[in-house]
Amino acid sequence: MPPVPKMDAVTQPNLRAPARSSFGDRINRCLDEAAASGLNQSDRAAYSRSCANTRE
């Protein structure tokens, strides 16, 4: 049975950052966004490199 929280107990917030998705997942998502925006192939490549390196 899990412990019952107490009203006066001090709790610690969970400060762990969410796990970052893999580089391949980020590239695919960025390529999809670029294609949906109507960018040509060379512009999609430039956009996806920049996008994947700045995303989480």
Side-chain angles (χ1 to χ4, degrees):
M1 180 171 257
V4 177
K6 297 182 174 136
M7 294 297 283
D8 59 350
V10 177
T11 59
Q12 296 294 325
N14 184 4
L15 299 178
R16 289 180 18 161
R20 190 171 184 183
S21 59
S22 72
F23 185 74
D25 291 342
R26 294 191 315 267
I27 281 288
N28 285 334
R29 184 172 45 235
C30 294
L31 283 171
D32 289 343
E33 289 175 6
S37 298
L39 297 177
N40 64 32
Q41 187 174 2
S42 63
D43 290 338
R44 281 196 305 258
Y47 174 80
S48 64
R49 283 191 300 272
S50 173
C51 170
N53 286 321
T54 59
R55 284 196 177 236
E56 291 189 21

